[in-house]
Amino acid sequence: MEYTGSKYIGEYVDGRMEGKAKYILPTETIYVGEMKDGMFHGEGTLYLPSGSQYDAIWENGLAIKGTYTFADGLHYDEKNWHYCDGYDRRFHTEILNGLKPAGMAQLTNMDPPRKIPRGYYDCGDGFYNPVTRVVKGYRNRFLRNTGRFLPTLQHVFSSPTYKYVHLYVQMYAHT
């Protein structure tokens, strides 16, 4: 089934997507793999905009078995998952490259961290501009208006944890 804003590159049989194909969803997620009767079927990979990917065996549009790999190369293992558990809180890049010297704490898995534009906030999927109340992706593409984000920030700044948030903003929002 094709959705508005999606793009299919492959063969059609009796009006249905069939065989090896590339399917680009409106969310910019890309599926590369086998299709049957208009659904993911057989071996195929979903490439997410974040850089992560999900390799799976699909049956009638459902993933039967698969593996998820994060953008930094970390493989998710459901049975032996020890990353960021109660015993070890290091980021994946710290596990691979070692801890930084005292006073040079790593605050995200990305090292070096993203450069946050002056007066903006990092939302995890882009930067929030409190003046325009707009979130733009890391590649400067419009993501959303944030009419409800401001009250959330007001709640955060009036909470007892404000001193920690404020300290973080003072240290890193203007670098």
Side-chain angles (χ1 to χ4, degrees):
M1 168 183 242
E2 287 193 60
Y3 296 95
T4 303
S6 64
K7 182 178 179 182
Y8 176 72
I9 302 165
E11 294 183 33
Y12 286 90
V13 175
D14 296 326
R16 299 277 199 172
M17 296 178 277
E18 292 281 338
K20 297 213 181 262
K22 181 177 184 179
Y23 188 64
I24 304 169
L25 295 131
T27 60
E28 297 181 11
T29 297
I30 300 170
Y31 173 79
V32 176
E34 300 171 42
M35 303 283 283
K36 180 181 175 188
D37 199 26
M39 294 181 277
F40 302 164
H41 192 86
E43 292 184 16
T45 302
L46 281 173
Y47 297 94
L48 294 107
S50 65
S52 300
Q53 70 181 58
Y54 185 64
D55 300 296
I57 303 294
W58 302 84
E59 192 171 295
N60 297 318
L62 300 174
I64 303 303
K65 181 180 180 182
T67 57
Y68 185 86
T69 306
F70 293 89
D72 63 5
L74 175 66
H75 295 279
Y76 176 71
D77 184 346
E78 187 175 353
K79 293 183 178 146
N80 297 309
W81 184 250
H82 298 294
Y83 171 67
C84 206
D85 61 13
Y87 300 103
D88 188 353
R89 305 296 293 173
R90 293 177 297 165
F91 292 109
H92 181 59
T93 52
E94 289 177 312
I95 293 169
L96 293 176
N97 304 322
L99 293 173
K100 293 195 174 291
M104 296 181 68
Q106 187 170 328
L107 299 173
T108 69
N109 190 47
M110 185 178 288
D111 187 43
R114 260 185 204 94
K115 193 126 178 123
I116 301 172
R118 185 177 201 87
Y120 285 63
Y121 301 91
D122 191 337
C123 299
D125 61 346
F127 297 120
Y128 169 68
N129 181 338
V131 175
T132 61
R133 297 171 72 176
V134 167
V135 175
K136 287 189 175 181
Y138 296 124
R139 296 182 185 142
N140 205 30
R141 197 180 109 226
F142 174 83
L143 295 180
R144 64 186 169 277
N145 289 314
T146 59
R148 296 183 185 188
F149 190 68
L150 189 58
T152 304
L153 281 176
Q154 288 171 341
H155 171 74
V156 167
F157 293 141
S158 64
S159 74
T161 60
Y162 169 71
K163 66 181 179 182
Y164 302 111
V165 173
H166 182 68
L167 178 63
Y168 176 81
V169 170
Q170 291 291 325
M171 289 173 58
Y172 298 101
H174 302 295
T175 58

